[in-house]
Amino acid sequence: MNCHSFVLSCQKIRFFLLQNRQGKTRLSKWYVPPPVPQNGSGNSEAEKLRIEAEIHRLVTARDKKYTNFIEYNNYKVIYRRYAGLFFTIAVDLADNELSYLETIHLFVELLDTYFSNVCELDIVFNFNKVYSILDEYMLAGEIEETSKREILDRVKLLEKME
């Protein structure tokens, strides 16, 4: 796949989060490490936790009448709520918000198809499968495959090899 054939493949996803309403992070995939404060206090992991908590506060407190896009630091945060879960992607400021809403929706469809009506407990108890599905969908912060059938077939093939 090249940049001319699929625009999303050339855009960089910073991180992908899946959080419940209470603020518990159920999935956290960072493709670009967060900037560590210049004063030297803290580390990358602590900064990730701080950002995840701040993102959760932003998306849960946001009124439904507003869009699902928030400018945060040097990112654009795109989120979508499904039942009690918030799916959040952080991307560059110039990236297309609507294409990432579709990205989130396809990931939810993948989970829903794989787990036959996914719920939070499926994600908690099968986190390794959730990460496997995400890795087949996104690689190094870029969309690798958009075919639901192709992604799920690859995941099933990997299961057979285990």
PDB file of all heavy atoms in Angstrom, residues 4 14 18-19 29 35 39 44 57 64 69 85 90 94 96 99 104 120 125 128 133-134 147 153-154 156:
ATOM      1  N   HIS A   4      -0.405   7.153  -2.000  1.00  0.00           N
ATOM      2  CA  HIS A   4      -1.350   7.626  -3.013  1.00  0.00           C
ATOM      3  C   HIS A   4      -2.615   6.792  -3.030  1.00  0.00           C
ATOM      4  O   HIS A   4      -3.676   7.293  -3.341  1.00  0.00           O
ATOM      5  CB  HIS A   4      -0.697   7.610  -4.392  1.00  0.00           C
ATOM      6  CG  HIS A   4       0.533   8.462  -4.441  1.00  0.00           C
ATOM      7  ND1 HIS A   4       0.500   9.820  -4.304  1.00  0.00           N
ATOM      8  CD2 HIS A   4       1.842   8.129  -4.574  1.00  0.00           C
ATOM      9  CE1 HIS A   4       1.728  10.312  -4.368  1.00  0.00           C
ATOM     10  NE2 HIS A   4       2.568   9.298  -4.520  1.00  0.00           N
ATOM     11  N   ARG A  14      -0.818   9.023  17.186  1.00  0.00           N
ATOM     12  CA  ARG A  14       0.072   9.181  18.341  1.00  0.00           C
ATOM     13  C   ARG A  14      -0.186   8.082  19.364  1.00  0.00           C
ATOM     14  O   ARG A  14       0.723   7.435  19.825  1.00  0.00           O
ATOM     15  CB  ARG A  14      -0.131  10.544  19.016  1.00  0.00           C
ATOM     16  CG  ARG A  14       0.020  11.725  18.101  1.00  0.00           C
ATOM     17  CD  ARG A  14       1.471  11.957  17.801  1.00  0.00           C
ATOM     18  NE  ARG A  14       1.628  13.148  17.001  1.00  0.00           N
ATOM     19  CZ  ARG A  14       2.427  14.133  17.322  1.00  0.00           C
ATOM     20  NH1 ARG A  14       3.125  14.099  18.420  1.00  0.00           N
ATOM     21  NH2 ARG A  14       2.537  15.159  16.523  1.00  0.00           N
ATOM     22  N   LEU A  18      -8.549   3.070  25.131  1.00  0.00           N
ATOM     23  CA  LEU A  18      -9.888   2.550  25.390  1.00  0.00           C
ATOM     24  C   LEU A  18     -10.083   2.644  26.897  1.00  0.00           C
ATOM     25  O   LEU A  18      -9.354   2.009  27.665  1.00  0.00           O
ATOM     26  CB  LEU A  18      -9.981   1.111  24.892  1.00  0.00           C
ATOM     27  CG  LEU A  18     -11.248   0.327  25.141  1.00  0.00           C
ATOM     28  CD1 LEU A  18     -12.474   1.113  24.743  1.00  0.00           C
ATOM     29  CD2 LEU A  18     -11.194  -0.964  24.369  1.00  0.00           C
ATOM     30  N   GLN A  19     -11.020   3.494  27.320  1.00  0.00           N
ATOM     31  CA  GLN A  19     -11.238   3.745  28.743  1.00  0.00           C
ATOM     32  C   GLN A  19     -12.710   3.605  29.081  1.00  0.00           C
ATOM     33  O   GLN A  19     -13.572   3.907  28.252  1.00  0.00           O
ATOM     34  CB  GLN A  19     -10.774   5.157  29.110  1.00  0.00           C
ATOM     35  CG  GLN A  19      -9.311   5.395  28.862  1.00  0.00           C
ATOM     36  CD  GLN A  19      -8.926   6.855  29.038  1.00  0.00           C
ATOM     37  OE1 GLN A  19      -9.542   7.736  28.464  1.00  0.00           O
ATOM     38  NE2 GLN A  19      -7.903   7.091  29.845  1.00  0.00           N
ATOM     39  N   LYS A  29      -2.280   2.002  23.657  1.00  0.00           N
ATOM     40  CA  LYS A  29      -1.245   1.710  22.659  1.00  0.00           C
ATOM     41  C   LYS A  29      -0.641   3.040  22.229  1.00  0.00           C
ATOM     42  O   LYS A  29      -1.317   3.876  21.636  1.00  0.00           O
ATOM     43  CB  LYS A  29      -1.871   0.978  21.469  1.00  0.00           C
ATOM     44  CG  LYS A  29      -0.908   0.494  20.452  1.00  0.00           C
ATOM     45  CD  LYS A  29      -0.174  -0.738  20.938  1.00  0.00           C
ATOM     46  CE  LYS A  29       0.593  -1.347  19.792  1.00  0.00           C
ATOM     47  NZ  LYS A  29       1.089  -2.649  20.097  1.00  0.00           N
ATOM     48  N   PRO A  35       5.954  13.499  25.149  1.00  0.00           N
ATOM     49  CA  PRO A  35       7.084  14.359  25.525  1.00  0.00           C
ATOM     50  C   PRO A  35       7.243  14.355  27.039  1.00  0.00           C
ATOM     51  O   PRO A  35       6.268  14.474  27.776  1.00  0.00           O
ATOM     52  CB  PRO A  35       6.665  15.736  25.013  1.00  0.00           C
ATOM     53  CG  PRO A  35       5.187  15.679  24.876  1.00  0.00           C
ATOM     54  CD  PRO A  35       4.831  14.248  24.619  1.00  0.00           C
ATOM     55  N   ASN A  39      11.895  19.810  32.677  1.00  0.00           N
ATOM     56  CA  ASN A  39      12.569  20.021  33.951  1.00  0.00           C
ATOM     57  C   ASN A  39      13.185  18.725  34.493  1.00  0.00           C
ATOM     58  O   ASN A  39      13.799  18.724  35.550  1.00  0.00           O
ATOM     59  CB  ASN A  39      11.618  20.644  34.977  1.00  0.00           C
ATOM     60  CG  ASN A  39      10.436  19.740  35.289  1.00  0.00           C
ATOM     61  OD1 ASN A  39      10.372  18.589  34.866  1.00  0.00           O
ATOM     62  ND2 ASN A  39       9.484  20.279  36.028  1.00  0.00           N
ATOM     63  N   SER A  44       8.634   8.654  31.057  1.00  0.00           N
ATOM     64  CA  SER A  44       7.685   8.420  29.973  1.00  0.00           C
ATOM     65  C   SER A  44       6.420   7.712  30.459  1.00  0.00           C
ATOM     66  O   SER A  44       5.313   8.088  30.082  1.00  0.00           O
ATOM     67  CB  SER A  44       8.367   7.615  28.871  1.00  0.00           C
ATOM     68  OG  SER A  44       7.506   7.424  27.799  1.00  0.00           O
ATOM     69  N   ARG A  57     -10.643  12.845  31.682  1.00  0.00           N
ATOM     70  CA  ARG A  57     -11.389  13.975  32.244  1.00  0.00           C
ATOM     71  C   ARG A  57     -11.990  14.845  31.139  1.00  0.00           C
ATOM     72  O   ARG A  57     -13.124  15.301  31.246  1.00  0.00           O
ATOM     73  CB  ARG A  57     -10.494  14.819  33.148  1.00  0.00           C
ATOM     74  CG  ARG A  57     -10.311  14.246  34.542  1.00  0.00           C
ATOM     75  CD  ARG A  57      -9.653  15.242  35.488  1.00  0.00           C
ATOM     76  NE  ARG A  57      -8.307  15.624  35.076  1.00  0.00           N
ATOM     77  CZ  ARG A  57      -7.209  14.908  35.292  1.00  0.00           C
ATOM     78  NH1 ARG A  57      -7.307  13.751  35.908  1.00  0.00           N
ATOM     79  NH2 ARG A  57      -6.026  15.338  34.910  1.00  0.00           N
ATOM     80  N   LYS A  64     -22.469  16.559  25.188  1.00  0.00           N
ATOM     81  CA  LYS A  64     -22.763  15.831  23.945  1.00  0.00           C
ATOM     82  C   LYS A  64     -23.097  16.756  22.775  1.00  0.00           C
ATOM     83  O   LYS A  64     -23.045  16.334  21.633  1.00  0.00           O
ATOM     84  CB  LYS A  64     -23.907  14.843  24.163  1.00  0.00           C
ATOM     85  CG  LYS A  64     -23.519  13.695  25.045  1.00  0.00           C
ATOM     86  CD  LYS A  64     -24.662  12.725  25.232  1.00  0.00           C
ATOM     87  CE  LYS A  64     -24.224  11.627  26.170  1.00  0.00           C
ATOM     88  NZ  LYS A  64     -25.256  10.641  26.369  1.00  0.00           N
ATOM     89  N   PHE A  69     -14.137  16.058  18.805  1.00  0.00           N
ATOM     90  CA  PHE A  69     -12.752  16.427  18.505  1.00  0.00           C
ATOM     91  C   PHE A  69     -12.304  17.475  19.513  1.00  0.00           C
ATOM     92  O   PHE A  69     -13.001  18.452  19.750  1.00  0.00           O
ATOM     93  CB  PHE A  69     -12.609  17.029  17.104  1.00  0.00           C
ATOM     94  CG  PHE A  69     -13.481  16.390  16.056  1.00  0.00           C
ATOM     95  CD1 PHE A  69     -14.288  17.162  15.250  1.00  0.00           C
ATOM     96  CD2 PHE A  69     -13.493  15.018  15.879  1.00  0.00           C
ATOM     97  CE1 PHE A  69     -15.083  16.590  14.280  1.00  0.00           C
ATOM     98  CE2 PHE A  69     -14.285  14.438  14.915  1.00  0.00           C
ATOM     99  CZ  PHE A  69     -15.086  15.224  14.113  1.00  0.00           C
ATOM    100  N   LEU A  85     -17.839   2.687  27.197  1.00  0.00           N
ATOM    101  CA  LEU A  85     -16.426   2.760  26.836  1.00  0.00           C
ATOM    102  C   LEU A  85     -16.150   3.935  25.904  1.00  0.00           C
ATOM    103  O   LEU A  85     -16.917   4.204  24.980  1.00  0.00           O
ATOM    104  CB  LEU A  85     -15.986   1.464  26.158  1.00  0.00           C
ATOM    105  CG  LEU A  85     -16.053   0.203  27.007  1.00  0.00           C
ATOM    106  CD1 LEU A  85     -15.801  -1.021  26.148  1.00  0.00           C
ATOM    107  CD2 LEU A  85     -15.049   0.280  28.143  1.00  0.00           C
ATOM    108  N   ALA A  90      -5.369   9.916  19.318  1.00  0.00           N
ATOM    109  CA  ALA A  90      -4.708  11.222  19.225  1.00  0.00           C
ATOM    110  C   ALA A  90      -3.885  11.244  17.947  1.00  0.00           C
ATOM    111  O   ALA A  90      -3.161  10.293  17.649  1.00  0.00           O
ATOM    112  CB  ALA A  90      -3.811  11.459  20.423  1.00  0.00           C
ATOM    113  N   ALA A  94      -3.345  18.502  11.835  1.00  0.00           N
ATOM    114  CA  ALA A  94      -3.828  18.674  10.464  1.00  0.00           C
ATOM    115  C   ALA A  94      -4.592  17.461   9.931  1.00  0.00           C
ATOM    116  O   ALA A  94      -5.149  17.517   8.848  1.00  0.00           O
ATOM    117  CB  ALA A  94      -2.646  18.960   9.539  1.00  0.00           C
ATOM    118  N   ASN A  96      -7.425  14.426   9.327  1.00  0.00           N
ATOM    119  CA  ASN A  96      -8.858  14.448   9.081  1.00  0.00           C
ATOM    120  C   ASN A  96      -9.614  13.756  10.220  1.00  0.00           C
ATOM    121  O   ASN A  96      -9.489  12.557  10.410  1.00  0.00           O
ATOM    122  CB  ASN A  96      -9.132  13.748   7.743  1.00  0.00           C
ATOM    123  CG  ASN A  96     -10.579  13.799   7.355  1.00  0.00           C
ATOM    124  OD1 ASN A  96     -11.474  13.866   8.186  1.00  0.00           O
ATOM    125  ND2 ASN A  96     -10.815  13.759   6.056  1.00  0.00           N
ATOM    126  N   SER A  99     -12.148  10.806   9.229  1.00  0.00           N
ATOM    127  CA  SER A  99     -11.539   9.521   8.870  1.00  0.00           C
ATOM    128  C   SER A  99     -11.169   8.742  10.132  1.00  0.00           C
ATOM    129  O   SER A  99     -11.258   7.514  10.155  1.00  0.00           O
ATOM    130  CB  SER A  99     -10.316   9.733   7.979  1.00  0.00           C
ATOM    131  OG  SER A  99      -9.308  10.435   8.662  1.00  0.00           O
ATOM    132  N   ILE A 104     -12.129   4.451  14.399  1.00  0.00           N
ATOM    133  CA  ILE A 104     -12.639   3.962  15.683  1.00  0.00           C
ATOM    134  C   ILE A 104     -13.805   3.018  15.452  1.00  0.00           C
ATOM    135  O   ILE A 104     -13.884   1.940  16.053  1.00  0.00           O
ATOM    136  CB  ILE A 104     -13.055   5.147  16.586  1.00  0.00           C
ATOM    137  CG1 ILE A 104     -11.829   5.935  17.029  1.00  0.00           C
ATOM    138  CG2 ILE A 104     -13.855   4.652  17.785  1.00  0.00           C
ATOM    139  CD1 ILE A 104     -12.146   7.251  17.724  1.00  0.00           C
ATOM    140  N   GLU A 120     -17.281  -4.902  27.923  1.00  0.00           N
ATOM    141  CA  GLU A 120     -16.041  -4.530  28.609  1.00  0.00           C
ATOM    142  C   GLU A 120     -15.329  -5.742  29.199  1.00  0.00           C
ATOM    143  O   GLU A 120     -14.101  -5.826  29.179  1.00  0.00           O
ATOM    144  CB  GLU A 120     -16.337  -3.503  29.701  1.00  0.00           C
ATOM    145  CG  GLU A 120     -15.089  -2.965  30.364  1.00  0.00           C
ATOM    146  CD  GLU A 120     -15.365  -1.852  31.356  1.00  0.00           C
ATOM    147  OE1 GLU A 120     -16.515  -1.380  31.461  1.00  0.00           O
ATOM    148  OE2 GLU A 120     -14.403  -1.435  32.038  1.00  0.00           O
ATOM    149  N   PHE A 125     -10.778  -9.597  29.985  1.00  0.00           N
ATOM    150  CA  PHE A 125     -10.308 -10.978  30.107  1.00  0.00           C
ATOM    151  C   PHE A 125      -9.590 -11.492  28.865  1.00  0.00           C
ATOM    152  O   PHE A 125      -8.943 -12.535  28.912  1.00  0.00           O
ATOM    153  CB  PHE A 125     -11.460 -11.906  30.483  1.00  0.00           C
ATOM    154  CG  PHE A 125     -11.966 -11.653  31.874  1.00  0.00           C
ATOM    155  CD1 PHE A 125     -13.279 -11.262  32.080  1.00  0.00           C
ATOM    156  CD2 PHE A 125     -11.128 -11.771  32.968  1.00  0.00           C
ATOM    157  CE1 PHE A 125     -13.748 -11.016  33.362  1.00  0.00           C
ATOM    158  CE2 PHE A 125     -11.587 -11.523  34.258  1.00  0.00           C
ATOM    159  CZ  PHE A 125     -12.906 -11.142  34.447  1.00  0.00           C
ATOM    160  N   ASN A 128      -5.162  -9.696  25.446  1.00  0.00           N
ATOM    161  CA  ASN A 128      -4.146 -10.086  24.459  1.00  0.00           C
ATOM    162  C   ASN A 128      -4.749 -10.213  23.062  1.00  0.00           C
ATOM    163  O   ASN A 128      -4.117  -9.851  22.072  1.00  0.00           O
ATOM    164  CB  ASN A 128      -3.436 -11.375  24.876  1.00  0.00           C
ATOM    165  CG  ASN A 128      -4.411 -12.511  25.126  1.00  0.00           C
ATOM    166  OD1 ASN A 128      -5.601 -12.297  25.350  1.00  0.00           O
ATOM    167  ND2 ASN A 128      -3.916 -13.730  25.103  1.00  0.00           N
ATOM    168  N   ILE A 133      -5.793  -7.884  17.608  1.00  0.00           N
ATOM    169  CA  ILE A 133      -6.676  -7.306  16.581  1.00  0.00           C
ATOM    170  C   ILE A 133      -6.205  -5.904  16.226  1.00  0.00           C
ATOM    171  O   ILE A 133      -6.116  -5.544  15.046  1.00  0.00           O
ATOM    172  CB  ILE A 133      -8.142  -7.309  17.069  1.00  0.00           C
ATOM    173  CG1 ILE A 133      -8.656  -8.748  17.182  1.00  0.00           C
ATOM    174  CG2 ILE A 133      -9.030  -6.485  16.134  1.00  0.00           C
ATOM    175  CD1 ILE A 133      -9.978  -8.873  17.928  1.00  0.00           C
ATOM    176  N   LEU A 134      -5.878  -5.115  17.243  1.00  0.00           N
ATOM    177  CA  LEU A 134      -5.397  -3.756  16.992  1.00  0.00           C
ATOM    178  C   LEU A 134      -4.102  -3.770  16.183  1.00  0.00           C
ATOM    179  O   LEU A 134      -3.932  -2.969  15.262  1.00  0.00           O
ATOM    180  CB  LEU A 134      -5.187  -3.012  18.314  1.00  0.00           C
ATOM    181  CG  LEU A 134      -4.754  -1.547  18.195  1.00  0.00           C
ATOM    182  CD1 LEU A 134      -5.823  -0.718  17.475  1.00  0.00           C
ATOM    183  CD2 LEU A 134      -4.464  -0.970  19.570  1.00  0.00           C
ATOM    184  N   SER A 147      -9.843  -4.008   5.652  1.00  0.00           N
ATOM    185  CA  SER A 147     -10.823  -5.061   5.405  1.00  0.00           C
ATOM    186  C   SER A 147     -11.071  -5.828   6.697  1.00  0.00           C
ATOM    187  O   SER A 147     -10.166  -6.476   7.234  1.00  0.00           O
ATOM    188  CB  SER A 147     -10.319  -6.015   4.324  1.00  0.00           C
ATOM    189  OG  SER A 147     -11.098  -7.187   4.312  1.00  0.00           O
ATOM    190  N   ASP A 153      -9.411 -12.757   9.655  1.00  0.00           N
ATOM    191  CA  ASP A 153      -8.792 -13.991   9.145  1.00  0.00           C
ATOM    192  C   ASP A 153      -7.346 -14.111   9.622  1.00  0.00           C
ATOM    193  O   ASP A 153      -6.898 -15.199   9.989  1.00  0.00           O
ATOM    194  CB  ASP A 153      -8.838 -14.049   7.616  1.00  0.00           C
ATOM    195  CG  ASP A 153     -10.235 -14.343   7.082  1.00  0.00           C
ATOM    196  OD1 ASP A 153     -11.125 -14.720   7.890  1.00  0.00           O
ATOM    197  OD2 ASP A 153     -10.439 -14.196   5.857  1.00  0.00           O
ATOM    198  N   ARG A 154      -6.620 -12.988   9.617  1.00  0.00           N
ATOM    199  CA  ARG A 154      -5.232 -13.011  10.092  1.00  0.00           C
ATOM    200  C   ARG A 154      -5.162 -13.331  11.586  1.00  0.00           C
ATOM    201  O   ARG A 154      -4.290 -14.074  12.025  1.00  0.00           O
ATOM    202  CB  ARG A 154      -4.552 -11.670   9.836  1.00  0.00           C
ATOM    203  CG  ARG A 154      -4.196 -11.443   8.410  1.00  0.00           C
ATOM    204  CD  ARG A 154      -3.456 -10.145   8.275  1.00  0.00           C
ATOM    205  NE  ARG A 154      -3.388  -9.725   6.899  1.00  0.00           N
ATOM    206  CZ  ARG A 154      -3.067  -8.515   6.512  1.00  0.00           C
ATOM    207  NH1 ARG A 154      -2.786  -7.580   7.409  1.00  0.00           N
ATOM    208  NH2 ARG A 154      -3.024  -8.201   5.225  1.00  0.00           N
ATOM    209  N   LYS A 156      -7.309 -15.073  13.310  1.00  0.00           N
ATOM    210  CA  LYS A 156      -7.636 -16.503  13.459  1.00  0.00           C
ATOM    211  C   LYS A 156      -6.472 -17.385  13.028  1.00  0.00           C
ATOM    212  O   LYS A 156      -6.203 -18.426  13.632  1.00  0.00           O
ATOM    213  CB  LYS A 156      -8.907 -16.835  12.695  1.00  0.00           C
ATOM    214  CG  LYS A 156     -10.132 -16.262  13.386  1.00  0.00           C
ATOM    215  CD  LYS A 156     -11.411 -16.526  12.667  1.00  0.00           C
ATOM    216  CE  LYS A 156     -12.532 -15.911  13.477  1.00  0.00           C
ATOM    217  NZ  LYS A 156     -13.657 -15.507  12.709  1.00  0.00           N
TER     218      LYS A 156
END
